[in-house]
Amino acid sequence: MHKIAPSNENGQTAMNIDFNPDLDLQLIVDVPITPDQLFDGWTNPETLPKWFCPRPWKVVQCSIDPRPGGLFSNVMQSPEGETMPENRGCFLLLEKPNRIVWTGMLSENFRPNPIPQLGFGFVCDLTFTLLADGGSRFHASVRHVTAQDRNKHAQMGFDQGWRIALSQLVELHQ
């Protein structure tokens, strides 16, 4: 169930979607970089490969078209040199510098994707809130179709992996 709030002073629509612990994962971390730097990290194809997966994994290919319906794609490589299949997704909403919503369940121009190799898809809602100290609150809410999908994603190391990757993005700005 979602609740849609009226537009804020920046003309952005605030959407509050209830967190369902049976289906959703979330990560909330205060970081010493700005919402603009977080937004750029997720939408700049030159920046994203430098931080997006925990080292020694790396992103070896990246395509980003930061617009609703735009492509959000990357290819990761293991420490042993094994190249993973392309993770091809789609931006659903971008409100610079405070919010990005994307999914791997759709591809460019909102075309449905086949079931991902991981065996599940999700919708990721990212918010970047400016804090009084000049840093930001990073909030990732990742919604899954089933509890089994949520649990599989958690067991893959969602919390630890996303924390490590986020710390790598912070390192780029320090």
Side-chain angles (χ1 to χ4, degrees):
M1 165 127 196
H2 20 253
K3 304 168 196 168
I4 300 177
S7 296
N8 66 19
E9 64 276 0
N10 298 321
Q12 299 167 331
T13 302
M15 182 181 284
N16 300 316
I17 299 177
D18 295 332
F19 179 78
N20 181 335
D22 295 328
L23 299 175
D24 306 334
L25 295 168
Q26 70 177 343
L27 179 64
I28 302 171
V29 181
D30 291 351
V31 293
I33 61 176
T34 67
D36 281 304
Q37 291 168 318
L38 286 165
F39 192 93
D40 180 71
W42 281 89
T43 58
N44 183 331
E46 301 298 319
T47 304
L48 187 126
K50 298 174 184 176
W51 70 269
F52 191 66
C53 53
R55 295 180 200 109
W57 283 76
K58 60 185 174 181
V59 173
V60 294
Q61 183 180 334
C62 177
S63 297
I64 297 175
D65 180 7
R67 63 174 176 84
L71 183 64
F72 183 67
S73 168
N74 65 76
V75 175
M76 296 181 192
Q77 188 177 72
S78 75
E80 297 75 32
E82 181 183 359
T83 301
M84 301 293 116
E86 179 183 22
N87 294 309
R88 197 169 181 84
C90 172
F91 288 106
L92 302 175
L93 176 74
L94 295 105
E95 293 177 344
K96 186 175 183 174
N98 299 110
R99 188 164 182 217
I100 300 170
V101 182
W102 65 275
T103 184
M105 296 168 71
L106 297 172
S107 188
E108 192 171 20
N109 296 318
F110 306 109
R111 287 275 174 207
N113 269 336
I115 299 296
Q117 180 187 3
L118 297 175
F120 63 89
F122 57 84
V123 174
C124 180
D125 189 345
L126 305 169
T127 59
F128 318 126
T129 305
L130 183 64
L131 300 174
D133 66 3
S136 302
R137 175 155 297 141
F138 170 88
H139 184 179
S141 179
V142 182
R143 296 175 188 83
H144 302 82
V145 176
T146 67
Q148 181 181 0
D149 292 350
R150 179 226 177 266
N151 294 340
K152 184 174 184 179
H153 199 180
Q155 290 168 359
M156 289 175 59
F158 166 81
D159 190 83
Q160 180 183 19
W162 283 51
R163 282 181 191 277
I164 292 169
L166 180 60
S167 72
Q168 293 170 174
L169 175 56
V170 169
E171 284 175 15
L172 290 177
H173 295 284
Q174 293 183 327

